[in-house]
Amino acid sequence: MNPLTEIRLILFRELRRQFRSTKGLVLVILSVLVATLISLALAYGEKKQREMMPVELTPEQRQAMLAEFLEKTGKDAATAKYLSSIPQTVLSMWKAATFTTPWLVLLLGYDSLASDVQYRTIRFWTVRTRRSSYFLGKWLGLFSTVAALHLAISSIVWVVSAVMGTDNIGSILRWGVQLWILSLPITAAWTGLASGIGSFFRTPMVALLTIFGTYIVVGILAIIGAVKDIEFLTFFWPNSLDDKFLLADAKHVGVGLLACALYAALPLVTGAFALSKRDV
Amino acid sequence: MSTENAKEPSGEAKDSLPPPSDVASDAAPSTSAASDATAMEKDAPAKKKKPVEYAIRLTKLTKAFGSKVAVDGISLRIRAGSVYGLIGPNGAGKTTTFSMMAGYLQPSDGVLEVLGHAPSNVDALRGRLGVLPQDAMLPASEKVSEFLLHLAELQGIPASKCTDAVLDVLEEVDGKGWWDVRCGGLSHGMAKRVGIAQALLGNPEVVFLDEPTAGLDPRVAYEVRQIIRRRKGRCTMVISSHNLQELEEVCDGAAILDRGRVVASGSINELTASSEEIHIDLGQGPVPLEAVRAVPFVTSAGYTESGRGGELIVTFDKKGADAETMIGQVLWVLLQNQARIAGVSKGKGLERRVMELT
């Protein structure tokens, strides 16, 4: 059996486990509820703002006004035009969902491997699958779960925006899907980090605290990077890469993708190697 | 004899039974064995189904946790098709040895082969090795069927045959009705049997069972022993257990471990000296020791009083007569001398042997 088949089988089992667990269900319900409330608030705010305008603007006029505003905040003309074309409720919700990603990853993934090692459940698998496949299958399961949650959250704002008529459905869907796809590398980076660190521990609580501690460290590095204007350091907090993905420039998007890929790959390779060598 | 020991590796092993002569010459191993193992990994697929004489080979196997040496240079060979026991008190190193054989723990030193492959070579051993780990929890949220079907798929059973394979093993452990039961809802005995079912899934060539009856009530323990008996001869089984009576019943051979070393190994007959010693429980009355000592091939006879009677231990030259013949002759002498016979057994029993050695 090739490793890809092993990973696929582990992935499907992991998805079933995640969405059936109490923790998974609670997180799904909470995320959907919160996302609905925020979406309604955003769409309502947007609508109110338009109503307060002295004259009713066409979508093109609104876009031009926003682009002008964004240029004043320091964005170059191309980026300002690019960003102004995104439905603002969809963009705001994407930002909010991206902000929650590391915390969803933390809550869903901290015990993904550690509890299997702690309760020795992993022993049923190690005689049947390569440990690296097991690890990568688990990571893909976590990644897919968080990505699916992200999609659920996003799709709520699409529906709300469409129903409340803040933007046309074509634009909402086109940008909504595009932004969700752009969130995947960031999700991969966070899940890679959490899975990689989690693979070193056999006690879920220790894994949780260590991942959280790592978040604080990378967060501080990113803040130092932002304050001192050292771009490389800001990459330590993968969410800060969302700016790269929102620039109308393939080169910047490429740098963002590369940074996310490295961010995910390093802990994943280390974690898979560590699990394959350690005692279980 | 279906099971043999490779060597007595340590000073402590000098008390152990002498190794059979046919295995003594190739007991010492090491670099050549290691390179053989490496070579086997390279062409694993080609050799996958090649029959092997010894299903498991341990050569100077060592495991240290920091400065504590849990397993200290164990060497064993377990013949394919046999049922082999790992015996010893707590801390003897049985579970550590078992865990290395199953690939859970990495040896600190030495060579370990299962069906000619390192246990970490999952691809070569897929579907050929089944393991019941001790104290491993089943995934609570999954149904028994989901769990077993997933494992069946992972070990390479064709998708169309997975359901049948799972039903077969569930039937074998008397658990056909558990198909839709969540693993978290199983009792200890049921969970143990599901654990055994996953170990037997797909009829593996080698099955490791770590404490298969620990914590089970007598009835379930009996059923588990029946499962093992039914599998006997169909695969190589290695059983780690504290239950010596159980091991004596089901095993062909065993290794007795103490403080990380093999202190004795061989067939159950050898370990219990059942081919050269008989034990006779006598009631109160005459004990014709001299008459027993005069029986041909008897090398010694001793009597120990205990309560209302005692135990007569007779050793004999196994080259001259087998145990059954000697039992007949000794009993005849005892009856002629009006001794009151309460019970007869061959050998000293595994329990007594273990108590002597550990």
Side-chain angles (χ1 to χ4, degrees):
Chain A
M1 186 181 288
N2 68 58
L4 289 178
T5 308
E6 291 178 344
I7 291 170
R8 177 177 57 82
L9 292 169
I10 302 286
L11 163 66
F12 287 146
R13 185 234 169 202
E14 192 61 14
L15 284 175
R16 193 175 62 216
R17 196 181 70 88
Q18 287 280 12
F19 284 108
R20 194 186 278 169
S21 69
T22 311
K23 186 176 70 178
L25 287 173
V26 167
L27 280 175
V28 168
I29 293 166
L30 273 179
S31 303
V32 168
L33 279 176
V34 172
T36 308
L37 288 173
I38 294 175
S39 301
L40 284 169
L42 285 172
Y44 182 76
E46 173 105 8
K47 219 167 178 187
K48 270 286 170 201
Q49 203 177 15
R50 286 179 199 176
E51 284 168 10
M52 283 160 65
M53 291 276 186
V55 285
E56 194 173 335
L57 300 174
T58 63
E60 290 74 23
Q61 286 171 322
R62 278 205 304 273
Q63 198 173 318
M65 267 183 70
L66 184 60
E68 199 180 317
F69 170 75
L70 287 169
E71 272 189 73
K72 280 179 189 167
T73 62
K75 298 271 191 285
D76 60 84
T79 301
K81 192 179 173 200
Y82 176 76
L83 289 177
S84 66
S85 64
I86 306 173
Q88 292 307 294
T89 47
V90 174
L91 180 62
S92 303
M93 195 63 201
W94 181 75
K95 286 264 186 185
T98 306
F99 172 79
T100 62
T101 300
W103 313 110
L104 281 174
V105 169
L106 179 68
L107 292 173
L108 282 167
Y110 76 94
D111 62 346
S112 172
L113 221 111
S115 66
D116 281 0
V117 178
Q118 183 181 33
Y119 298 114
R120 296 177 176 173
T121 310
I122 193 172
R123 291 183 168 189
F124 293 116
W125 273 265
T126 52
V127 293
R128 294 176 169 92
T129 176
R130 294 168 184 86
R131 293 191 192 185
S132 53
S133 302
Y134 186 77
F135 175 79
L136 291 173
K138 284 251 167 194
W139 165 71
L140 261 181
L142 178 61
F143 167 78
S144 307
T145 306
V146 176
L149 264 176
H150 209 301
L151 181 62
I153 292 169
S154 303
S155 59
I156 288 167
V157 81
W158 304 344
V159 173
V160 170
S161 301
V163 170
M164 294 187 73
T166 56
D167 287 279
N168 72 66
I169 294 173
S171 174
I172 289 168
L173 281 180
R174 183 166 57 83
W175 277 109
V177 171
Q178 192 173 324
L179 288 175
W180 176 71
I181 290 170
L182 288 176
S183 73
L184 297 180
I186 293 172
T187 305
W190 284 116
T191 49
L193 181 68
S195 297
I197 294 169
S199 69
F200 286 92
F201 300 97
R202 57 173 64 235
T203 311
M205 193 47 69
V206 177
L208 174 74
L209 293 173
T210 310
I211 296 168
F212 184 70
T214 308
Y215 279 12
I216 291 174
V217 171
V218 295
I220 289 170
L221 284 174
I223 290 169
I224 292 171
V227 171
K228 302 271 185 187
D229 206 20
I230 308 168
E231 190 183 35
F232 165 72
L233 284 181
T234 63
F235 291 175
F236 274 93
W237 188 257
N239 279 8
S240 62
L241 291 164
D242 64 354
D243 278 347
K244 290 265 175 236
F245 295 135
L246 293 175
L247 293 176
D249 176 3
K251 188 182 152 199
H252 281 104
V253 175
V255 169
L257 282 173
L258 185 66
C260 283
L262 280 173
Y263 206 96
L266 282 175
L268 283 179
V269 170
T270 311
F273 180 76
L275 184 65
S276 66
K277 295 294 173 197
R278 70 179 285 188
D279 291 341
V280 297
Chain B
M1 191 181 78
S2 56
T3 311
E4 299 162 340
N5 67 328
K7 64 176 291 199
E8 301 294 350
S10 66
E12 287 181 54
K14 65 189 174 197
D15 294 335
S16 64
L17 295 160
S21 56
D22 64 325
V23 293
S25 60
D26 58 354
S30 48
T31 49
S32 62
S35 55
D36 285 352
T38 312
M40 281 178 191
E41 303 310 328
K42 286 177 185 165
D43 55 354
K47 295 197 171 183
K48 197 168 177 180
K49 292 295 175 188
K50 186 181 175 183
V52 287
E53 184 181 4
Y54 293 101
I56 297 134
R57 287 173 187 260
L58 283 63
T59 310
K60 292 185 176 171
L61 197 67
T62 301
K63 179 67 182 178
F65 298 101
S67 59
K68 182 175 167 45
V69 179
V71 172
D72 191 3
I74 285 180
S75 294
L76 283 173
R77 290 186 304 175
I78 300 171
R79 199 179 279 281
S82 65
V83 180
Y84 200 83
L86 289 179
I87 302 167
N90 287 333
K94 345 183 261 301
T95 293
T96 305
T97 305
F98 182 95
S99 296
M100 285 190 280
M101 285 160 59
Y104 305 147
L105 304 182
Q106 313 275 349
S108 305
D109 199 10
V111 178
L112 171 52
E113 291 173 39
V114 177
L115 296 169
H117 302 278
S120 56
N121 189 346
V122 175
D123 216 29
L125 292 173
R126 192 191 307 276
R128 303 177 73 195
L129 171 64
V131 185
L132 169 70
Q134 188 188 0
D135 299 335
M137 274 181 66
L138 300 173
S141 63
E142 286 181 32
K143 289 178 183 173
V144 170
S145 54
E146 288 170 344
F147 171 62
L148 293 176
L149 284 168
H150 170 70
L151 296 184
E153 278 185 288
L154 266 180
Q155 67 183 57
I157 297 174
S160 59
K161 293 180 179 167
C162 282
T163 305
D164 287 342
V166 170
L167 282 171
D168 284 348
V169 284
L170 278 178
E171 188 171 13
E172 192 164 355
V173 300
D174 199 20
K176 239 180 170 176
W178 306 338
W179 187 263
D180 284 323
V181 178
R182 291 207 188 280
C183 292
L186 297 171
S187 69
H188 180 65
M190 289 157 79
K192 183 72 90 175
R193 281 189 279 173
V194 170
I196 293 171
Q198 65 79 33
L200 302 179
L201 197 54
N203 294 315
E205 293 164 52
V206 175
V207 177
F208 296 155
L209 303 173
D210 196 0
E211 299 287 357
T213 58
L216 300 181
D217 67 52
R219 184 183 176 83
V220 179
Y222 171 79
E223 285 168 6
V224 169
R225 280 196 294 278
Q226 292 302 107
I227 294 167
I228 295 168
R229 282 201 184 91
R230 283 197 294 269
R231 281 273 166 166
K232 204 168 174 175
R234 290 160 62 189
C235 59
T236 309
M237 293 179 114
V238 180
I239 303 169
S240 163
S241 177
H242 279 115
N243 190 331
L244 301 178
Q245 196 184 344
E246 171 181 293
L247 289 177
E248 199 171 344
E249 277 179 38
V250 299
C251 290
D252 302 311
I256 301 173
L257 276 65
D258 189 34
R259 279 168 262 171
R261 295 179 176 197
V262 175
V263 292
S265 66
S267 69
I268 293 294
N269 282 349
E270 283 175 322
L271 288 172
T272 59
S274 61
S275 57
E276 55 194 62
E277 191 171 304
I278 53 176
H279 291 231
I280 300 158
D281 295 328
L282 297 177
Q284 274 182 330
V287 183
L289 266 182
E290 287 310 316
V292 171
R293 284 178 185 140
V295 173
F297 305 117
V298 168
T299 53
S300 71
Y303 181 72
T304 314
E305 263 193 48
S306 59
R308 287 182 299 172
E311 186 182 36
L312 175 66
I313 301 173
V314 181
T315 57
F316 54 92
D317 180 3
K318 64 180 177 183
K319 288 175 188 161
D322 61 19
E324 288 74 16
T325 306
M326 290 309 296
I327 287 172
Q329 289 183 4
V330 172
L331 290 187
W332 176 247
V333 169
L334 289 173
L335 289 170
Q336 279 186 322
N337 288 277
Q338 281 81 48
R340 300 172 68 220
I341 299 161
V344 183
S345 61
K346 285 197 292 184
K348 57 183 66 180
L350 202 50
E351 189 173 64
R352 186 177 293 195
R353 186 69 175 137
V354 171
M355 295 306 288
E356 284 172 6
L357 289 168
T358 62

mmCIF file of all heavy atoms in Angstrom, chain B residues 260-297:
data_model
loop_
_atom_site.group_PDB
_atom_site.id
_atom_site.type_symbol
_atom_site.label_atom_id
_atom_site.label_comp_id
_atom_site.label_asym_id
_atom_site.label_seq_id
_atom_site.Cartn_x
_atom_site.Cartn_y
_atom_site.Cartn_z
ATOM 1 N N GLY B 260 15.267 -8.139 33.070
ATOM 2 C CA GLY B 260 15.691 -7.813 31.713
ATOM 3 C C GLY B 260 16.482 -8.891 31.006
ATOM 4 O O GLY B 260 16.971 -8.677 29.899
ATOM 5 N N ARG B 261 16.639 -10.050 31.648
ATOM 6 C CA ARG B 261 17.410 -11.109 31.003
ATOM 7 C C ARG B 261 16.607 -12.398 30.921
ATOM 8 O O ARG B 261 15.722 -12.628 31.747
ATOM 9 C CB ARG B 261 18.691 -11.375 31.789
ATOM 10 C CG ARG B 261 19.616 -10.189 31.777
ATOM 11 C CD ARG B 261 20.849 -10.467 32.568
ATOM 12 N NE ARG B 261 21.776 -9.330 32.448
ATOM 13 C CZ ARG B 261 23.047 -9.394 32.753
ATOM 14 N NH1 ARG B 261 23.576 -10.514 33.183
ATOM 15 N NH2 ARG B 261 23.819 -8.330 32.617
ATOM 16 N N VAL B 262 16.991 -13.244 29.970
ATOM 17 C CA VAL B 262 16.348 -14.552 29.868
ATOM 18 C C VAL B 262 17.052 -15.468 30.864
ATOM 19 O O VAL B 262 18.263 -15.690 30.755
ATOM 20 C CB VAL B 262 16.484 -15.119 28.439
ATOM 21 C CG1 VAL B 262 15.919 -16.529 28.384
ATOM 22 C CG2 VAL B 262 15.760 -14.236 27.439
ATOM 23 N N VAL B 263 16.305 -15.959 31.840
ATOM 24 C CA VAL B 263 16.930 -16.869 32.798
ATOM 25 C C VAL B 263 16.683 -18.325 32.427
ATOM 26 O O VAL B 263 17.377 -19.209 32.903
ATOM 27 C CB VAL B 263 16.465 -16.590 34.249
ATOM 28 C CG1 VAL B 263 16.986 -15.253 34.724
ATOM 29 C CG2 VAL B 263 14.958 -16.646 34.366
ATOM 30 N N ALA B 264 15.703 -18.554 31.592
ATOM 31 C CA ALA B 264 15.485 -19.910 31.065
ATOM 32 C C ALA B 264 14.575 -19.808 29.853
ATOM 33 O O ALA B 264 13.725 -18.919 29.784
ATOM 34 C CB ALA B 264 14.832 -20.795 32.114
ATOM 35 N N SER B 265 14.789 -20.690 28.922
ATOM 36 C CA SER B 265 13.883 -20.719 27.779
ATOM 37 C C SER B 265 13.897 -22.109 27.175
ATOM 38 O O SER B 265 14.834 -22.877 27.380
ATOM 39 C CB SER B 265 14.294 -19.674 26.736
ATOM 40 O OG SER B 265 15.542 -20.009 26.195
ATOM 41 N N GLY B 266 12.867 -22.422 26.462
ATOM 42 C CA GLY B 266 12.783 -23.734 25.837
ATOM 43 C C GLY B 266 11.339 -24.163 25.717
ATOM 44 O O GLY B 266 10.428 -23.349 25.881
ATOM 45 N N SER B 267 11.164 -25.437 25.451
ATOM 46 C CA SER B 267 9.793 -25.926 25.354
ATOM 47 C C SER B 267 9.196 -25.987 26.762
ATOM 48 O O SER B 267 9.929 -26.018 27.762
ATOM 49 C CB SER B 267 9.767 -27.308 24.720
ATOM 50 O OG SER B 267 10.338 -28.231 25.615
ATOM 51 N N ILE B 268 7.883 -26.030 26.831
ATOM 52 C CA ILE B 268 7.228 -26.106 28.143
ATOM 53 C C ILE B 268 7.671 -27.384 28.857
ATOM 54 O O ILE B 268 7.922 -27.388 30.065
ATOM 55 C CB ILE B 268 5.689 -26.070 27.981
ATOM 56 C CG1 ILE B 268 5.253 -24.693 27.461
ATOM 57 C CG2 ILE B 268 4.984 -26.402 29.290
ATOM 58 C CD1 ILE B 268 5.477 -23.529 28.407
ATOM 59 N N ASN B 269 7.821 -28.470 28.107
ATOM 60 C CA ASN B 269 8.286 -29.726 28.709
ATOM 61 C C ASN B 269 9.660 -29.565 29.347
ATOM 62 O O ASN B 269 9.911 -30.050 30.439
ATOM 63 C CB ASN B 269 8.374 -30.825 27.638
ATOM 64 C CG ASN B 269 7.007 -31.387 27.327
ATOM 65 O OD1 ASN B 269 6.046 -31.100 28.034
ATOM 66 N ND2 ASN B 269 6.926 -32.147 26.253
ATOM 67 N N GLU B 270 10.524 -28.864 28.633
ATOM 68 C CA GLU B 270 11.869 -28.651 29.184
ATOM 69 C C GLU B 270 11.811 -27.774 30.418
ATOM 70 O O GLU B 270 12.459 -28.049 31.427
ATOM 71 C CB GLU B 270 12.749 -27.978 28.132
ATOM 72 C CG GLU B 270 13.232 -28.914 27.057
ATOM 73 C CD GLU B 270 14.005 -28.179 25.970
ATOM 74 O OE1 GLU B 270 13.605 -27.048 25.622
ATOM 75 O OE2 GLU B 270 14.994 -28.720 25.505
ATOM 76 N N LEU B 271 11.036 -26.701 30.308
ATOM 77 C CA LEU B 271 10.986 -25.756 31.427
ATOM 78 C C LEU B 271 10.414 -26.396 32.684
ATOM 79 O O LEU B 271 10.837 -26.102 33.793
ATOM 80 C CB LEU B 271 10.159 -24.522 31.045
ATOM 81 C CG LEU B 271 10.814 -23.567 30.049
ATOM 82 C CD1 LEU B 271 9.825 -22.508 29.607
ATOM 83 C CD2 LEU B 271 12.037 -22.902 30.646
ATOM 84 N N THR B 272 9.442 -27.233 32.500
ATOM 85 C CA THR B 272 8.801 -27.840 33.669
ATOM 86 C C THR B 272 9.417 -29.182 34.016
ATOM 87 O O THR B 272 8.976 -29.842 34.960
ATOM 88 C CB THR B 272 7.297 -28.048 33.408
ATOM 89 O OG1 THR B 272 7.159 -28.890 32.253
ATOM 90 C CG2 THR B 272 6.589 -26.737 33.173
ATOM 91 N N ALA B 273 10.419 -29.570 33.252
ATOM 92 C CA ALA B 273 11.093 -30.863 33.460
ATOM 93 C C ALA B 273 10.099 -32.013 33.418
ATOM 94 O O ALA B 273 10.263 -33.017 34.120
ATOM 95 C CB ALA B 273 11.851 -30.855 34.786
ATOM 96 N N SER B 274 9.070 -31.886 32.639
ATOM 97 C CA SER B 274 8.024 -32.907 32.639
ATOM 98 C C SER B 274 8.475 -34.199 31.967
ATOM 99 O O SER B 274 7.784 -35.211 32.062
ATOM 100 C CB SER B 274 6.759 -32.375 31.976
ATOM 101 O OG SER B 274 7.024 -32.034 30.659
ATOM 102 N N SER B 275 9.609 -34.173 31.292
ATOM 103 C CA SER B 275 10.074 -35.411 30.682
ATOM 104 C C SER B 275 11.111 -36.095 31.565
ATOM 105 O O SER B 275 11.675 -37.109 31.180
ATOM 106 C CB SER B 275 10.663 -35.113 29.298
ATOM 107 O OG SER B 275 11.695 -34.179 29.428
ATOM 108 N N GLU B 276 11.391 -35.527 32.749
ATOM 109 C CA GLU B 276 12.382 -36.163 33.602
ATOM 110 C C GLU B 276 12.022 -36.098 35.090
ATOM 111 O O GLU B 276 12.856 -36.349 35.938
ATOM 112 C CB GLU B 276 13.758 -35.527 33.378
ATOM 113 C CG GLU B 276 13.774 -34.034 33.567
ATOM 114 C CD GLU B 276 15.042 -33.400 33.011
ATOM 115 O OE1 GLU B 276 15.271 -33.506 31.786
ATOM 116 O OE2 GLU B 276 15.783 -32.812 33.790
ATOM 117 N N GLU B 277 10.815 -35.727 35.384
ATOM 118 C CA GLU B 277 10.433 -35.580 36.786
ATOM 119 C C GLU B 277 8.936 -35.837 36.930
ATOM 120 O O GLU B 277 8.145 -35.368 36.109
ATOM 121 C CB GLU B 277 10.760 -34.144 37.230
ATOM 122 C CG GLU B 277 10.665 -33.911 38.709
ATOM 123 C CD GLU B 277 11.212 -32.524 39.070
ATOM 124 O OE1 GLU B 277 12.369 -32.218 38.732
ATOM 125 O OE2 GLU B 277 10.451 -31.747 39.670
ATOM 126 N N ILE B 278 8.554 -36.603 37.936
ATOM 127 C CA ILE B 278 7.124 -36.763 38.217
ATOM 128 C C ILE B 278 6.846 -36.417 39.680
ATOM 129 O O ILE B 278 7.709 -36.595 40.540
ATOM 130 C CB ILE B 278 6.600 -38.181 37.875
ATOM 131 C CG1 ILE B 278 7.446 -39.259 38.548
ATOM 132 C CG2 ILE B 278 6.526 -38.406 36.391
ATOM 133 C CD1 ILE B 278 6.929 -40.672 38.320
ATOM 134 N N HIS B 279 5.666 -35.881 39.911
ATOM 135 C CA HIS B 279 5.258 -35.484 41.260
ATOM 136 C C HIS B 279 4.040 -36.317 41.647
ATOM 137 O O HIS B 279 3.079 -36.372 40.886
ATOM 138 C CB HIS B 279 4.909 -33.996 41.288
ATOM 139 C CG HIS B 279 6.098 -33.101 41.111
ATOM 140 N ND1 HIS B 279 6.399 -32.068 41.949
ATOM 141 C CD2 HIS B 279 7.095 -33.120 40.188
ATOM 142 C CE1 HIS B 279 7.505 -31.478 41.542
ATOM 143 N NE2 HIS B 279 7.946 -32.093 40.464
ATOM 144 N N ILE B 280 4.127 -36.916 42.813
ATOM 145 C CA ILE B 280 3.000 -37.754 43.262
ATOM 146 C C ILE B 280 2.568 -37.276 44.651
ATOM 147 O O ILE B 280 3.383 -37.205 45.574
ATOM 148 C CB ILE B 280 3.414 -39.233 43.320
ATOM 149 C CG1 ILE B 280 3.859 -39.687 41.915
ATOM 150 C CG2 ILE B 280 2.262 -40.113 43.815
ATOM 151 C CD1 ILE B 280 4.741 -40.886 41.906
ATOM 152 N N ASP B 281 1.300 -36.883 44.742
ATOM 153 C CA ASP B 281 0.754 -36.486 46.050
ATOM 154 C C ASP B 281 0.298 -37.746 46.782
ATOM 155 O O ASP B 281 -0.453 -38.546 46.213
ATOM 156 C CB ASP B 281 -0.438 -35.535 45.863
ATOM 157 C CG ASP B 281 -0.013 -34.222 45.227
ATOM 158 O OD1 ASP B 281 1.124 -33.801 45.479
ATOM 159 O OD2 ASP B 281 -0.810 -33.641 44.452
ATOM 160 N N LEU B 282 0.770 -37.891 48.004
ATOM 161 C CA LEU B 282 0.413 -39.081 48.778
ATOM 162 C C LEU B 282 -0.392 -38.675 50.004
ATOM 163 O O LEU B 282 -0.128 -37.642 50.619
ATOM 164 C CB LEU B 282 1.682 -39.814 49.233
ATOM 165 C CG LEU B 282 2.584 -40.384 48.127
ATOM 166 C CD1 LEU B 282 3.831 -41.020 48.730
ATOM 167 C CD2 LEU B 282 1.841 -41.418 47.292
ATOM 168 N N GLY B 283 -1.355 -39.525 50.326
ATOM 169 C CA GLY B 283 -2.094 -39.330 51.570
ATOM 170 C C GLY B 283 -1.288 -39.914 52.723
ATOM 171 O O GLY B 283 -0.206 -40.491 52.519
ATOM 172 N N GLN B 284 -1.828 -39.745 53.955
ATOM 173 C CA GLN B 284 -1.123 -40.303 55.104
ATOM 174 C C GLN B 284 -1.001 -41.819 54.960
ATOM 175 O O GLN B 284 -1.963 -42.498 54.589
ATOM 176 C CB GLN B 284 -1.881 -39.964 56.389
ATOM 177 C CG GLN B 284 -1.486 -38.598 56.923
ATOM 178 C CD GLN B 284 -2.196 -38.269 58.214
ATOM 179 O OE1 GLN B 284 -3.323 -38.736 58.437
ATOM 180 N NE2 GLN B 284 -1.562 -37.468 59.041
ATOM 181 N N GLY B 285 0.190 -42.342 55.264
ATOM 182 C CA GLY B 285 0.400 -43.783 55.135
ATOM 183 C C GLY B 285 1.846 -44.070 54.780
ATOM 184 O O GLY B 285 2.701 -43.191 54.869
ATOM 185 N N PRO B 286 2.121 -45.282 54.344
ATOM 186 C CA PRO B 286 3.514 -45.652 54.048
ATOM 187 C C PRO B 286 4.092 -44.888 52.856
ATOM 188 O O PRO B 286 3.369 -44.571 51.908
ATOM 189 C CB PRO B 286 3.431 -47.146 53.739
ATOM 190 C CG PRO B 286 2.006 -47.479 53.609
ATOM 191 C CD PRO B 286 1.182 -46.362 54.144
ATOM 192 N N VAL B 287 5.389 -44.579 52.948
ATOM 193 C CA VAL B 287 6.098 -43.922 51.832
ATOM 194 C C VAL B 287 7.304 -44.810 51.497
ATOM 195 O O VAL B 287 8.364 -44.690 52.120
ATOM 196 C CB VAL B 287 6.559 -42.503 52.223
ATOM 197 C CG1 VAL B 287 7.232 -41.818 51.040
ATOM 198 C CG2 VAL B 287 5.401 -41.673 52.744
ATOM 199 N N PRO B 288 7.161 -45.695 50.539
ATOM 200 C CA PRO B 288 8.237 -46.650 50.239
ATOM 201 C C PRO B 288 9.349 -46.032 49.378
ATOM 202 O O PRO B 288 9.524 -46.392 48.202
ATOM 203 C CB PRO B 288 7.498 -47.745 49.495
ATOM 204 C CG PRO B 288 6.367 -47.058 48.826
ATOM 205 C CD PRO B 288 5.981 -45.907 49.684
ATOM 206 N N LEU B 289 10.103 -45.122 49.968
ATOM 207 C CA LEU B 289 11.129 -44.393 49.208
ATOM 208 C C LEU B 289 12.188 -45.310 48.602
ATOM 209 O O LEU B 289 12.556 -45.155 47.426
ATOM 210 C CB LEU B 289 11.813 -43.375 50.123
ATOM 211 C CG LEU B 289 11.257 -41.949 50.127
ATOM 212 C CD1 LEU B 289 12.069 -41.056 51.046
ATOM 213 C CD2 LEU B 289 11.202 -41.359 48.736
ATOM 214 N N GLU B 290 12.654 -46.286 49.410
ATOM 215 C CA GLU B 290 13.729 -47.160 48.911
ATOM 216 C C GLU B 290 13.248 -47.993 47.723
ATOM 217 O O GLU B 290 13.985 -48.194 46.770
ATOM 218 C CB GLU B 290 14.233 -48.070 50.038
ATOM 219 C CG GLU B 290 15.065 -47.322 51.081
ATOM 220 C CD GLU B 290 16.162 -46.468 50.453
ATOM 221 O OE1 GLU B 290 16.855 -46.940 49.526
ATOM 222 O OE2 GLU B 290 16.306 -45.292 50.866
ATOM 223 N N ALA B 291 11.996 -48.444 47.831
ATOM 224 C CA ALA B 291 11.440 -49.250 46.729
ATOM 225 C C ALA B 291 11.334 -48.426 45.452
ATOM 226 O O ALA B 291 11.594 -48.907 44.348
ATOM 227 C CB ALA B 291 10.065 -49.785 47.121
ATOM 228 N N VAL B 292 10.954 -47.142 45.623
ATOM 229 C CA VAL B 292 10.855 -46.257 44.446
ATOM 230 C C VAL B 292 12.243 -46.021 43.860
ATOM 231 O O VAL B 292 12.427 -46.037 42.639
ATOM 232 C CB VAL B 292 10.175 -44.922 44.830
ATOM 233 C CG1 VAL B 292 10.271 -43.914 43.683
ATOM 234 C CG2 VAL B 292 8.727 -45.150 45.209
ATOM 235 N N ARG B 293 13.217 -45.800 44.720
ATOM 236 C CA ARG B 293 14.583 -45.538 44.227
ATOM 237 C C ARG B 293 15.153 -46.751 43.460
ATOM 238 O O ARG B 293 16.044 -46.594 42.630
ATOM 239 C CB ARG B 293 15.502 -45.200 45.404
ATOM 240 C CG ARG B 293 15.272 -43.779 45.910
ATOM 241 C CD ARG B 293 16.138 -43.440 47.100
ATOM 242 N NE ARG B 293 15.793 -42.115 47.597
ATOM 243 C CZ ARG B 293 15.719 -41.799 48.881
ATOM 244 N NH1 ARG B 293 15.969 -42.705 49.819
ATOM 245 N NH2 ARG B 293 15.393 -40.576 49.228
ATOM 246 N N ALA B 294 14.591 -47.939 43.784
ATOM 247 C CA ALA B 294 15.092 -49.153 43.132
ATOM 248 C C ALA B 294 14.488 -49.360 41.739
ATOM 249 O O ALA B 294 14.915 -50.247 40.989
ATOM 250 C CB ALA B 294 14.784 -50.363 44.023
ATOM 251 N N VAL B 295 13.491 -48.544 41.404
ATOM 252 C CA VAL B 295 12.857 -48.677 40.073
ATOM 253 C C VAL B 295 13.907 -48.314 39.008
ATOM 254 O O VAL B 295 14.632 -47.337 39.173
ATOM 255 C CB VAL B 295 11.629 -47.741 39.967
ATOM 256 C CG1 VAL B 295 11.077 -47.734 38.536
ATOM 257 C CG2 VAL B 295 10.548 -48.170 40.958
ATOM 258 N N PRO B 296 14.002 -49.112 37.940
ATOM 259 C CA PRO B 296 14.984 -48.811 36.892
ATOM 260 C C PRO B 296 14.840 -47.379 36.354
ATOM 261 O O PRO B 296 13.717 -46.887 36.193
ATOM 262 C CB PRO B 296 14.669 -49.819 35.784
ATOM 263 C CG PRO B 296 13.980 -50.928 36.488
ATOM 264 C CD PRO B 296 13.250 -50.338 37.636
ATOM 265 N N PHE B 297 15.957 -46.732 36.098
ATOM 266 C CA PHE B 297 16.097 -45.364 35.532
ATOM 267 C C PHE B 297 15.771 -44.240 36.522
ATOM 268 O O PHE B 297 15.927 -43.075 36.186
ATOM 269 C CB PHE B 297 15.250 -45.178 34.264
ATOM 270 C CG PHE B 297 15.532 -46.198 33.207
ATOM 271 C CD1 PHE B 297 14.551 -47.081 32.787
ATOM 272 C CD2 PHE B 297 16.803 -46.299 32.632
ATOM 273 C CE1 PHE B 297 14.807 -48.051 31.824
ATOM 274 C CE2 PHE B 297 17.055 -47.260 31.661
ATOM 275 C CZ PHE B 297 16.072 -48.128 31.253
#
